[in-house]
Amino acid sequence: MSVKLKSNAPSISHLFFMDDCLLFTEAKSSQVKFVKEILDVFCHPFGLRVNIHKSKFMTCNDVSNAKVDKFKMISHFHHTRQIGKYLGFPMLKGRIKNSDFNFVLDKINSRLAGWKMNLLNRARRVTLAKSILSSMSIYIMQNLWFPKGECD
């Protein structure tokens, strides 16, 4: 869903969580200026400031370096090719590969390794594994569609 602040304004799509915000716009200088204006209008009454060091923007691969430099000058944000993770979920770009889900297996393997060190009998370890490991993958699958290879 997108939001329009004025009838003739461009629409902006967004995600909010606590004090984090993701905004999605077209790669146009006018859109970057508009986002900057929205942030200023929002922050000013509350005496808030956007942390420039924690803020970044990402563009599609086909956006020219000249445009990226222009967006940096307008927003003062850092440019990145990969956002990384947001709320524990990778922000994937492009075609999804099995390797994009290695973090799930790494997380599961690290949990299992920790449990091996505990003085739990086999039945308790199996019960713990079933409850915790299934909830970890269910949380991730709420937002990401696992490739068949990862499920296997």
Side-chain angles (χ1 to χ4, degrees), residues 2-21:
S2 60
V3 175
K4 281 190 173 196
L5 296 182
K6 299 178 186 175
S7 60
N8 61 345
S11 60
I12 296 178
S13 181
H14 62 288
L15 292 173
F16 285 117
F17 182 79
M18 299 295 282
D19 60 351
D20 289 342
C21 174

PDB file of all heavy atoms in Angstrom, residues 2-21:
ATOM      1  N   SER A   2       0.472   2.261  -0.704  1.00  0.00           N
ATOM      2  CA  SER A   2       1.259   3.482  -0.754  1.00  0.00           C
ATOM      3  C   SER A   2       0.463   4.638  -0.165  1.00  0.00           C
ATOM      4  O   SER A   2      -0.749   4.565  -0.006  1.00  0.00           O
ATOM      5  CB  SER A   2       1.673   3.786  -2.190  1.00  0.00           C
ATOM      6  OG  SER A   2       0.532   3.946  -3.001  1.00  0.00           O
ATOM      7  N   VAL A   3       1.179   5.723   0.148  1.00  0.00           N
ATOM      8  CA  VAL A   3       0.586   6.885   0.794  1.00  0.00           C
ATOM      9  C   VAL A   3       0.838   8.109  -0.067  1.00  0.00           C
ATOM     10  O   VAL A   3       1.928   8.280  -0.612  1.00  0.00           O
ATOM     11  CB  VAL A   3       1.224   7.093   2.193  1.00  0.00           C
ATOM     12  CG1 VAL A   3       0.725   8.364   2.831  1.00  0.00           C
ATOM     13  CG2 VAL A   3       0.959   5.897   3.074  1.00  0.00           C
ATOM     14  N   LYS A   4      -0.169   8.972  -0.184  1.00  0.00           N
ATOM     15  CA  LYS A   4      -0.018  10.265  -0.853  1.00  0.00           C
ATOM     16  C   LYS A   4      -0.330  11.352   0.165  1.00  0.00           C
ATOM     17  O   LYS A   4      -1.378  11.340   0.790  1.00  0.00           O
ATOM     18  CB  LYS A   4      -0.975  10.391  -2.032  1.00  0.00           C
ATOM     19  CG  LYS A   4      -0.528   9.674  -3.264  1.00  0.00           C
ATOM     20  CD  LYS A   4      -1.398  10.058  -4.435  1.00  0.00           C
ATOM     21  CE  LYS A   4      -0.816   9.465  -5.686  1.00  0.00           C
ATOM     22  NZ  LYS A   4      -1.371  10.077  -6.868  1.00  0.00           N
ATOM     23  N   LEU A   5       0.603  12.286   0.347  1.00  0.00           N
ATOM     24  CA  LEU A   5       0.382  13.358   1.301  1.00  0.00           C
ATOM     25  C   LEU A   5      -0.434  14.496   0.702  1.00  0.00           C
ATOM     26  O   LEU A   5      -1.095  15.235   1.420  1.00  0.00           O
ATOM     27  CB  LEU A   5       1.712  13.880   1.829  1.00  0.00           C
ATOM     28  CG  LEU A   5       2.511  12.855   2.636  1.00  0.00           C
ATOM     29  CD1 LEU A   5       3.788  13.471   3.149  1.00  0.00           C
ATOM     30  CD2 LEU A   5       1.698  12.317   3.792  1.00  0.00           C
ATOM     31  N   LYS A   6      -0.365  14.652  -0.611  1.00  0.00           N
ATOM     32  CA  LYS A   6      -1.159  15.636  -1.337  1.00  0.00           C
ATOM     33  C   LYS A   6      -1.758  14.934  -2.542  1.00  0.00           C
ATOM     34  O   LYS A   6      -1.236  13.923  -2.995  1.00  0.00           O
ATOM     35  CB  LYS A   6      -0.270  16.786  -1.818  1.00  0.00           C
ATOM     36  CG  LYS A   6       0.417  17.561  -0.726  1.00  0.00           C
ATOM     37  CD  LYS A   6       1.309  18.631  -1.356  1.00  0.00           C
ATOM     38  CE  LYS A   6       2.118  19.338  -0.300  1.00  0.00           C
ATOM     39  NZ  LYS A   6       3.070  20.281  -0.901  1.00  0.00           N
ATOM     40  N   SER A   7      -2.828  15.475  -3.092  1.00  0.00           N
ATOM     41  CA  SER A   7      -3.477  14.812  -4.218  1.00  0.00           C
ATOM     42  C   SER A   7      -2.565  14.726  -5.437  1.00  0.00           C
ATOM     43  O   SER A   7      -2.620  13.768  -6.194  1.00  0.00           O
ATOM     44  CB  SER A   7      -4.780  15.522  -4.575  1.00  0.00           C
ATOM     45  OG  SER A   7      -4.510  16.868  -4.932  1.00  0.00           O
ATOM     46  N   ASN A   8      -1.704  15.716  -5.631  1.00  0.00           N
ATOM     47  CA  ASN A   8      -0.819  15.696  -6.794  1.00  0.00           C
ATOM     48  C   ASN A   8       0.587  15.201  -6.455  1.00  0.00           C
ATOM     49  O   ASN A   8       1.473  15.216  -7.298  1.00  0.00           O
ATOM     50  CB  ASN A   8      -0.734  17.082  -7.428  1.00  0.00           C
ATOM     51  CG  ASN A   8      -0.166  18.126  -6.469  1.00  0.00           C
ATOM     52  OD1 ASN A   8      -0.087  17.883  -5.263  1.00  0.00           O
ATOM     53  ND2 ASN A   8       0.226  19.262  -6.995  1.00  0.00           N
ATOM     54  N   ALA A   9       0.785  14.739  -5.225  1.00  0.00           N
ATOM     55  CA  ALA A   9       2.113  14.273  -4.798  1.00  0.00           C
ATOM     56  C   ALA A   9       2.330  12.830  -5.227  1.00  0.00           C
ATOM     57  O   ALA A   9       1.378  12.078  -5.399  1.00  0.00           O
ATOM     58  CB  ALA A   9       2.241  14.378  -3.284  1.00  0.00           C
ATOM     59  N   PRO A  10       3.594  12.441  -5.394  1.00  0.00           N
ATOM     60  CA  PRO A  10       3.863  11.033  -5.708  1.00  0.00           C
ATOM     61  C   PRO A  10       3.555  10.147  -4.502  1.00  0.00           C
ATOM     62  O   PRO A  10       3.593  10.605  -3.363  1.00  0.00           O
ATOM     63  CB  PRO A  10       5.362  11.024  -6.026  1.00  0.00           C
ATOM     64  CG  PRO A  10       5.902  12.242  -5.376  1.00  0.00           C
ATOM     65  CD  PRO A  10       4.802  13.249  -5.324  1.00  0.00           C
ATOM     66  N   SER A  11       3.232   8.907  -4.783  1.00  0.00           N
ATOM     67  CA  SER A  11       2.924   7.994  -3.685  1.00  0.00           C
ATOM     68  C   SER A  11       4.212   7.402  -3.130  1.00  0.00           C
ATOM     69  O   SER A  11       5.185   7.225  -3.841  1.00  0.00           O
ATOM     70  CB  SER A  11       1.982   6.888  -4.149  1.00  0.00           C
ATOM     71  OG  SER A  11       2.582   6.164  -5.188  1.00  0.00           O
ATOM     72  N   ILE A  12       4.201   7.128  -1.835  1.00  0.00           N
ATOM     73  CA  ILE A  12       5.346   6.551  -1.144  1.00  0.00           C
ATOM     74  C   ILE A  12       4.877   5.307  -0.424  1.00  0.00           C
ATOM     75  O   ILE A  12       3.884   5.330   0.296  1.00  0.00           O
ATOM     76  CB  ILE A  12       5.959   7.555  -0.141  1.00  0.00           C
ATOM     77  CG1 ILE A  12       6.520   8.753  -0.887  1.00  0.00           C
ATOM     78  CG2 ILE A  12       7.036   6.890   0.691  1.00  0.00           C
ATOM     79  CD1 ILE A  12       7.094   9.805   0.026  1.00  0.00           C
ATOM     80  N   SER A  13       5.604   4.227  -0.613  1.00  0.00           N
ATOM     81  CA  SER A  13       5.315   2.992   0.094  1.00  0.00           C
ATOM     82  C   SER A  13       6.271   2.910   1.279  1.00  0.00           C
ATOM     83  O   SER A  13       7.369   3.445   1.228  1.00  0.00           O
ATOM     84  CB  SER A  13       5.517   1.812  -0.847  1.00  0.00           C
ATOM     85  OG  SER A  13       5.229   0.621  -0.175  1.00  0.00           O
ATOM     86  N   HIS A  14       5.871   2.243   2.348  1.00  0.00           N
ATOM     87  CA  HIS A  14       6.652   2.294   3.569  1.00  0.00           C
ATOM     88  C   HIS A  14       6.458   1.051   4.436  1.00  0.00           C
ATOM     89  O   HIS A  14       5.497   0.320   4.265  1.00  0.00           O
ATOM     90  CB  HIS A  14       6.236   3.514   4.383  1.00  0.00           C
ATOM     91  CG  HIS A  14       4.781   3.417   4.784  1.00  0.00           C
ATOM     92  ND1 HIS A  14       3.761   3.584   3.886  1.00  0.00           N
ATOM     93  CD2 HIS A  14       4.217   3.121   5.968  1.00  0.00           C
ATOM     94  CE1 HIS A  14       2.600   3.410   4.520  1.00  0.00           C
ATOM     95  NE2 HIS A  14       2.842   3.124   5.776  1.00  0.00           N
ATOM     96  N   LEU A  15       7.402   0.847   5.354  1.00  0.00           N
ATOM     97  CA  LEU A  15       7.303  -0.140   6.418  1.00  0.00           C
ATOM     98  C   LEU A  15       7.787   0.534   7.696  1.00  0.00           C
ATOM     99  O   LEU A  15       8.828   1.187   7.686  1.00  0.00           O
ATOM    100  CB  LEU A  15       8.197  -1.351   6.150  1.00  0.00           C
ATOM    101  CG  LEU A  15       7.839  -2.265   4.994  1.00  0.00           C
ATOM    102  CD1 LEU A  15       8.949  -3.290   4.790  1.00  0.00           C
ATOM    103  CD2 LEU A  15       6.533  -2.961   5.246  1.00  0.00           C
ATOM    104  N   PHE A  16       7.049   0.417   8.782  1.00  0.00           N
ATOM    105  CA  PHE A  16       7.461   1.000  10.057  1.00  0.00           C
ATOM    106  C   PHE A  16       7.602  -0.098  11.100  1.00  0.00           C
ATOM    107  O   PHE A  16       6.811  -1.029  11.144  1.00  0.00           O
ATOM    108  CB  PHE A  16       6.403   1.983  10.589  1.00  0.00           C
ATOM    109  CG  PHE A  16       6.379   3.292   9.888  1.00  0.00           C
ATOM    110  CD1 PHE A  16       5.264   3.679   9.183  1.00  0.00           C
ATOM    111  CD2 PHE A  16       7.463   4.151   9.948  1.00  0.00           C
ATOM    112  CE1 PHE A  16       5.228   4.907   8.548  1.00  0.00           C
ATOM    113  CE2 PHE A  16       7.444   5.374   9.317  1.00  0.00           C
ATOM    114  CZ  PHE A  16       6.314   5.751   8.621  1.00  0.00           C
ATOM    115  N   PHE A  17       8.599   0.031  11.952  1.00  0.00           N
ATOM    116  CA  PHE A  17       8.716  -0.823  13.120  1.00  0.00           C
ATOM    117  C   PHE A  17       9.466  -0.048  14.183  1.00  0.00           C
ATOM    118  O   PHE A  17      10.618   0.336  13.972  1.00  0.00           O
ATOM    119  CB  PHE A  17       9.446  -2.128  12.822  1.00  0.00           C
ATOM    120  CG  PHE A  17       9.525  -3.033  14.011  1.00  0.00           C
ATOM    121  CD1 PHE A  17       8.440  -3.791  14.380  1.00  0.00           C
ATOM    122  CD2 PHE A  17      10.668  -3.091  14.782  1.00  0.00           C
ATOM    123  CE1 PHE A  17       8.492  -4.613  15.488  1.00  0.00           C
ATOM    124  CE2 PHE A  17      10.741  -3.908  15.893  1.00  0.00           C
ATOM    125  CZ  PHE A  17       9.647  -4.672  16.245  1.00  0.00           C
ATOM    126  N   MET A  18       8.827   0.196  15.293  1.00  0.00           N
ATOM    127  CA  MET A  18       9.411   0.952  16.400  1.00  0.00           C
ATOM    128  C   MET A  18      10.018   2.256  15.878  1.00  0.00           C
ATOM    129  O   MET A  18       9.305   3.094  15.411  1.00  0.00           O
ATOM    130  CB  MET A  18      10.434   0.105  17.158  1.00  0.00           C
ATOM    131  CG  MET A  18       9.858  -1.149  17.768  1.00  0.00           C
ATOM    132  SD  MET A  18       8.656  -0.817  19.052  1.00  0.00           S
ATOM    133  CE  MET A  18       9.704  -0.393  20.404  1.00  0.00           C
ATOM    134  N   ASP A  19      11.329   2.377  15.952  1.00  0.00           N
ATOM    135  CA  ASP A  19      11.950   3.612  15.499  1.00  0.00           C
ATOM    136  C   ASP A  19      12.645   3.441  14.149  1.00  0.00           C
ATOM    137  O   ASP A  19      13.468   4.253  13.756  1.00  0.00           O
ATOM    138  CB  ASP A  19      12.944   4.133  16.543  1.00  0.00           C
ATOM    139  CG  ASP A  19      14.063   3.142  16.829  1.00  0.00           C
ATOM    140  OD1 ASP A  19      13.975   2.000  16.351  1.00  0.00           O
ATOM    141  OD2 ASP A  19      15.004   3.523  17.523  1.00  0.00           O
ATOM    142  N   ASP A  20      12.311   2.375  13.429  1.00  0.00           N
ATOM    143  CA  ASP A  20      12.867   2.135  12.102  1.00  0.00           C
ATOM    144  C   ASP A  20      11.820   2.414  11.045  1.00  0.00           C
ATOM    145  O   ASP A  20      10.629   2.217  11.271  1.00  0.00           O
ATOM    146  CB  ASP A  20      13.317   0.681  11.942  1.00  0.00           C
ATOM    147  CG  ASP A  20      14.562   0.368  12.749  1.00  0.00           C
ATOM    148  OD1 ASP A  20      15.264   1.319  13.142  1.00  0.00           O
ATOM    149  OD2 ASP A  20      14.820  -0.804  12.992  1.00  0.00           O
ATOM    150  N   CYS A  21      12.291   2.836   9.897  1.00  0.00           N
ATOM    151  CA  CYS A  21      11.377   3.133   8.802  1.00  0.00           C
ATOM    152  C   CYS A  21      12.063   2.789   7.487  1.00  0.00           C
ATOM    153  O   CYS A  21      13.213   3.149   7.279  1.00  0.00           O
ATOM    154  CB  CYS A  21      11.017   4.617   8.840  1.00  0.00           C
ATOM    155  SG  CYS A  21      10.039   5.164   7.448  1.00  0.00           S
TER     156      CYS A  21
END
